[in-house]
Amino acid sequence: MHGGDIYTEGKLKGQELIDFSSNINPLGVPESFKKSLDEALKNVVNYPDIKYRMVRESLSRYEGINEDLFLLGNGAAEIIDLSISTLKSILIPAPSFAEYHLSAEKWGVHIEYFHMKEKKNEDGTYSMYIDYEKLLQELDGVEGVILANPNNPDGSVLDKESVKKILQHCQKTGKKVIIDEAFIHFTLLEDQSLVKWVNEFSCLLVIKALTKYYGMPGIRFGYGITSSKEMRDEIEKKQNPWNINSFAVEAVKSVLFDDDYNKKSIEWLENTREPFVKRLMGFSVFNKVYRTLGNYVLCELNGITSKEFYDACLERGFLIRNADNYRGLSEYNIRLAIKDKDRNEKLFDMLNNL
Amino acid sequence: MHGGDIYTEGKLKGQELIDFSSNINPLGVPESFKKSLDEALKNVVNYPDIKYRMVRESLSRYEGINEDLFLLGNGAAEIIDLSISTLKSILIPAPSFAEYHLSAEKWGVHIEYFHMKEKKNEDGTYSMYIDYEKLLQELDGVEGVILANPNNPDGSVLDKESVKKILQHCQKTGKKVIIDEAFIHFTLLEDQSLVKWVNEFSCLLVIKALTKYYGMPGIRFGYGITSSKEMRDEIEKKQNPWNINSFAVEAVKSVLFDDDYNKKSIEWLENTREPFVKRLMGFSVFNKVYRTLGNYVLCELNGITSKEFYDACLERGFLIRNADNYRGLSEYNIRLAIKDKDRNEKLFDMLNNL
């Protein structure tokens, strides 16, 4: 599951929980989308354009990529799922987003795992990273690989020069490289995305989402970009017509160009991410805190299991992500989303009194 | 395609067409849904409940069927597609909704067609009907069959007693029966749906949609009902998590219980369907007009092809459904949606001056 279950533990029991489990922009739904609701309501009485031409036009303008290169999904999950379905075997990082191996299992795709390495940084935080030499070797036995930029649950980003070598190798050997950039906006690094490389490398498929950064996972929209017509055709023929709802259509047209929302989000991240990590390092309940370029922080607990910690937080009205079911992590790992200052302070207060 | 393309011919060229091609309730979006928009907007910042418990509860209450028996789809199209994917071979009526054979082709399901029969009624209309004896024989070579109730594009409904025999046969022989009831509400026949039989026949899967009757195809929601846990599991394991968007969730909770909308829709149908068919019979451009229990009317043209007729209507600002690409129909078939009185009159005026 993406995050904790606010329904089972919260809403359906009539209590509102403070949700540190799901990695959603705490600024909420952009005003630009709210303003587009009338338009969405006007259009919901029609079938959407089956070719979604206005959506493609907006995405193309936003990414600076030819509109024919886009795959449109009912959430990024659909594109992740269908792109994995095109492979016979896949290399998946551990730890990484659980949907990768769930999709592979569903489509009968053989899975090989490679484990992220770990190092301690000078400031006392930890970082996960990929051994690209080893990754290159392990590619031998598979048809493709999926990598996340940044990776979930640890928040580390890809080293672009190393990935370029991987792409060159895969381009030559006919392997596919799927890059999940669902959280790329949160890095605040303008040049971190691999999107610009899709024209150069037809083996590359980059996947992005609207749902996390624009605070609207309920809208269900994500997209993929690849210059491989073969890959696009293979994925599109598995999709259903009208897979994108009218509200998502309006969202694409409005939020991508919402400079005000973007400015506020950058401000929020610049002001909260580093202080959040530093504050966590001050609590003795954490053994390790991982440096992140996402809007979430992986931690290792000290003397308490993640299940026990989860329950203790829940009792106090906080939902956190128990990360013990990630392959490559242990029963002491949890993940915390970074929220706005108010809620972050409430979390720290809770941790102080734990 | 479901209906004509209001985008290619209309919106993207800056002209509004009167759309008689898509079979959508002309009363538009229910007020009850508009009122639920604030709730949807509040919830769009969260991932939907991954188990969609409130949706299941609403559907269960509405259908009088245990909530575990429901399959939830991003449009009925998703459930149609995935249910067909569970078969190795399928019997499909001709004519019928094009998505049936498109899905079968996509999943590599072998297709056998059986042709609907036709008769002239006493009032001069025509009707298509199924030869159930022949259907029973043709089931021999396939794993399952899909039937629509009512059928699209002709609007004929299933004979329930005959279908019961088909179900008894399929229950014994391990074949599956998929019934597409996307347009069932429009029949105004309370006892026409096969939903109540799902408990008795585990070979039966009934599919319904919210999008047509409640005038909101852009919302993307449909559902299936079957007591076969095996069939549900097989379909659900192919679905992506969070396949239903937050706006569809609120729609289910509101529109199914919107008595006012339902009352107005019944009034509209009772007042327009029969007169619409009768009026069409008065135009010499039609050779045959088919009796319908849907919100659409199949016609056969007289001395003009459907392509020529389509173009002539388009020139006059009307979009109609050219039905010449339905298997079993000819280059003289078109389909007209039934709209509200005002628009119907405009259509008649246009036909008068054709």
Side-chain angles (χ1 to χ4, degrees):
Chain A
M1 215 181 285
H2 272 243
D5 182 351
I6 56 167
Y7 298 91
T8 306
E9 304 295 355
K11 285 182 194 292
L12 298 175
K13 287 184 185 161
Q15 57 179 334
E16 283 291 331
L17 295 166
I18 304 184
D19 182 14
F20 276 84
S21 71
S22 64
N23 303 329
I24 303 303
N25 190 330
L27 300 185
V29 179
E31 285 303 315
S32 55
F33 173 69
K34 290 183 191 168
K35 282 181 196 149
S36 78
L37 267 184
D38 282 348
E39 189 66 19
L41 205 54
K42 218 180 78 190
N43 291 331
V44 79
V45 300
N46 297 316
Y47 276 92
D49 175 12
I50 196 161
K51 296 179 186 156
Y52 292 106
R53 281 164 282 197
M54 298 295 282
V55 173
R56 287 176 181 278
E57 191 276 323
S58 296
L59 293 174
S60 169
R61 190 152 41 95
Y62 177 72
E63 295 283 6
I65 300 277
N66 185 304
E67 57 188 65
D68 295 335
L69 272 51
F70 288 85
L71 290 157
L72 312 181
N74 182 38
E78 184 182 326
I79 306 294
I80 291 173
D81 183 62
L82 293 179
S83 62
I84 289 175
S85 83
T86 66
L87 300 169
K88 285 206 179 61
S89 52
I90 190 168
L91 196 56
I92 296 179
S96 65
F97 184 37
E99 288 300 320
Y100 304 160
H101 77 83
L102 292 174
S103 277
E105 284 158 13
K106 162 175 148 184
W107 294 102
V109 179
H110 175 76
I111 303 170
E112 295 283 341
Y113 291 98
F114 75 91
H115 284 258
M116 308 273 293
K117 299 218 163 172
E118 189 176 301
K119 65 180 177 192
K120 188 167 185 176
N121 301 307
E122 280 181 10
D123 63 2
T125 59
Y126 287 77
S127 284
M128 290 198 171
Y129 66 97
I130 292 169
D131 180 341
Y132 291 95
E133 287 298 322
K134 194 145 184 293
L135 176 62
L136 206 60
Q137 289 164 16
E138 297 196 19
L139 274 169
D140 263 0
V142 294
E143 274 193 8
V145 58
I146 187 163
L147 301 172
N149 186 32
N151 194 44
N152 175 7
D154 60 297
S156 63
V157 294
L158 296 176
D159 178 67
K160 282 185 75 177
E161 281 316 301
S162 304
V163 174
K164 196 166 212 167
K165 282 179 202 153
I166 303 283
L167 284 166
Q168 284 160 343
H169 173 77
C170 290
Q171 189 73 19
K172 259 192 286 182
T173 51
K175 297 179 195 296
K176 289 172 188 165
V177 180
I178 305 164
I179 305 288
D180 177 359
E181 296 195 345
F183 292 98
I184 190 78
H185 285 103
F186 294 105
T187 66
L188 303 186
L189 301 172
E190 284 211 9
D191 203 34
Q192 183 59 39
S193 170
L194 305 192
V195 163
K196 291 280 178 279
W197 290 353
V198 293
N199 286 306
E200 187 178 347
F201 297 104
S202 64
C203 63
L204 173 63
L205 169 66
V206 180
I207 299 169
K208 290 194 172 186
L210 235 68
T211 46
K212 278 105 177 149
Y213 187 73
Y214 293 103
M216 45 206 308
I219 201 80
R220 311 313 300 138
F221 183 77
Y223 57 100
I225 315 177
T226 177
S227 63
S228 162
K229 188 173 181 313
E230 199 190 328
M231 216 190 311
R232 291 199 308 272
D233 286 349
E234 204 176 339
I235 288 170
E236 278 174 349
K237 81 168 187 218
K238 284 191 183 150
Q239 293 186 299
N240 284 309
W242 304 284
N243 61 331
I244 315 297
N245 70 80
S246 303
F247 293 93
V249 168
E250 293 310 316
V252 175
K253 285 157 63 184
S254 56
V255 302
L256 290 177
F257 307 97
D258 189 336
D259 293 334
D260 187 51
Y261 189 85
N262 198 33
K263 207 178 127 216
K264 282 183 186 151
S265 298
I266 294 171
E267 230 174 76
W268 155 68
L269 275 162
E270 288 183 337
N271 290 329
T272 58
R273 183 159 48 198
E274 277 194 48
F276 189 87
V277 168
K278 276 205 182 114
R279 283 289 286 275
L280 291 185
M281 288 173 71
F283 293 100
S284 60
V285 72
F286 299 120
N287 193 27
K288 294 179 185 175
V289 178
Y290 289 78
R291 183 184 285 176
T292 181
L293 280 164
N295 59 329
Y296 44 86
V297 184
L298 179 66
C299 305
E300 186 183 280
L301 295 163
N302 185 13
I304 176 173
T305 67
S306 42
K307 264 201 191 68
E308 291 163 346
F309 185 77
Y310 177 94
D311 288 341
C313 292
L314 195 59
E315 250 174 53
R316 290 158 179 82
F318 289 80
L319 195 65
I320 63 116
R321 178 68 159 88
N322 176 353
D324 68 358
N325 60 348
Y326 279 94
R327 181 177 283 258
L329 296 187
S330 80
E331 64 188 301
Y332 294 101
N333 284 115
I334 59 131
R335 194 193 64 196
L336 294 167
I338 304 170
K339 299 290 170 184
D340 55 277
K341 275 190 180 171
D342 271 10
R343 277 181 283 180
N344 292 343
E345 284 303 327
K346 281 182 187 158
L347 177 76
F348 301 143
D349 283 350
M350 187 272 286
L351 290 173
N352 263 324
N353 297 309
L354 204 64
Chain B
M1 216 181 286
H2 273 244
D5 183 351
I6 55 168
Y7 298 92
T8 305
E9 304 293 356
K11 285 182 194 290
L12 298 174
K13 288 183 185 164
Q15 58 179 333
E16 282 291 331
L17 295 165
I18 305 185
D19 182 15
F20 276 84
S21 71
S22 64
N23 304 329
I24 302 304
N25 191 330
L27 300 186
V29 178
E31 286 302 316
S32 55
F33 174 68
K34 292 183 190 165
K35 282 182 195 147
S36 76
L37 268 184
D38 283 347
E39 189 66 19
L41 205 54
K42 217 180 78 191
N43 291 331
V44 79
V45 300
N46 297 316
Y47 275 94
D49 175 13
I50 196 160
K51 295 179 186 155
Y52 292 106
R53 281 164 281 198
M54 297 295 282
V55 173
R56 287 176 181 278
E57 191 276 323
S58 295
L59 293 174
S60 169
R61 192 151 41 95
Y62 176 72
E63 295 283 6
I65 300 279
N66 184 304
E67 58 188 60
D68 295 336
L69 272 52
F70 288 85
L71 290 157
L72 312 181
N74 182 38
E78 183 182 327
I79 306 294
I80 291 173
D81 182 62
L82 293 179
S83 62
I84 289 175
S85 83
T86 66
L87 299 170
K88 285 207 179 60
S89 52
I90 189 168
L91 196 55
I92 296 180
S96 64
F97 184 38
E99 289 299 322
Y100 304 160
H101 77 82
L102 292 174
S103 278
E105 283 158 14
K106 162 175 146 184
W107 294 102
V109 180
H110 175 76
I111 303 170
E112 295 283 341
Y113 290 99
F114 74 91
H115 284 259
M116 307 274 291
K117 299 217 161 171
E118 189 176 302
K119 64 180 180 193
K120 187 167 185 177
N121 301 307
E122 282 181 7
D123 62 3
T125 59
Y126 288 77
S127 285
M128 290 198 173
Y129 67 97
I130 293 169
D131 180 341
Y132 291 95
E133 287 298 322
K134 195 148 182 294
L135 175 62
L136 206 60
Q137 287 164 18
E138 297 196 19
L139 274 169
D140 263 1
V142 292
E143 273 193 7
V145 59
I146 186 162
L147 300 172
N149 187 31
N151 194 44
N152 175 7
D154 61 297
S156 63
V157 294
L158 297 176
D159 178 66
K160 282 185 74 178
E161 280 316 301
S162 304
V163 173
K164 195 166 215 168
K165 281 179 203 153
I166 303 282
L167 284 166
Q168 284 160 343
H169 173 77
C170 290
Q171 190 73 21
K172 258 192 287 185
T173 51
K175 297 180 195 297
K176 288 172 188 165
V177 180
I178 305 164
I179 305 288
D180 177 359
E181 296 195 346
F183 292 98
I184 189 78
H185 286 102
F186 294 104
T187 67
L188 303 186
L189 301 172
E190 285 212 5
D191 204 35
Q192 184 58 39
S193 170
L194 304 193
V195 163
K196 291 282 178 278
W197 291 353
V198 294
N199 286 306
E200 188 178 347
F201 298 104
S202 63
C203 62
L204 173 63
L205 169 66
V206 180
I207 299 169
K208 290 194 172 186
L210 235 68
T211 47
K212 279 105 177 148
Y213 187 73
Y214 293 103
M216 44 206 309
I219 201 81
R220 313 311 301 136
F221 184 77
Y223 57 100
I225 315 177
T226 178
S227 63
S228 162
K229 188 171 181 312
E230 199 188 328
M231 216 190 312
R232 291 199 309 272
D233 286 350
E234 204 175 339
I235 289 170
E236 279 174 349
K237 80 169 188 219
K238 284 189 183 152
Q239 293 185 299
N240 284 309
W242 304 283
N243 61 331
I244 315 296
N245 70 81
S246 304
F247 293 92
V249 168
E250 292 310 317
V252 175
K253 284 156 65 183
S254 56
V255 302
L256 290 177
F257 306 97
D258 188 335
D259 293 334
D260 187 51
Y261 189 86
N262 199 33
K263 207 177 128 219
K264 283 182 186 151
S265 300
I266 294 172
E267 228 172 78
W268 156 67
L269 275 162
E270 288 183 336
N271 291 328
T272 58
R273 183 159 49 197
E274 278 195 46
F276 188 87
V277 168
K278 278 208 180 110
R279 284 289 286 276
L280 291 185
M281 289 172 72
F283 293 100
S284 60
V285 73
F286 299 119
N287 193 28
K288 293 179 185 174
V289 178
Y290 290 78
R291 184 183 284 175
T292 181
L293 280 165
N295 57 330
Y296 44 86
V297 183
L298 179 66
C299 305
E300 186 184 280
L301 296 162
N302 185 13
I304 176 173
T305 67
S306 43
K307 264 201 190 66
E308 290 162 347
F309 186 78
Y310 176 94
D311 288 341
C313 292
L314 195 58
E315 252 173 49
R316 291 158 179 82
F318 289 79
L319 195 65
I320 63 115
R321 178 68 158 90
N322 175 352
D324 69 357
N325 59 348
Y326 279 94
R327 181 177 285 257
L329 295 187
S330 81
E331 63 188 301
Y332 295 101
N333 284 115
I334 58 131
R335 195 193 62 196
L336 294 167
I338 304 170
K339 299 289 170 185
D340 54 280
K341 275 188 180 173
D342 271 10
R343 278 180 283 181
N344 292 343
E345 285 303 328
K346 282 181 186 157
L347 177 76
F348 302 143
D349 284 350
M350 187 270 285
L351 290 173
N352 263 324
N353 297 310
L354 204 65

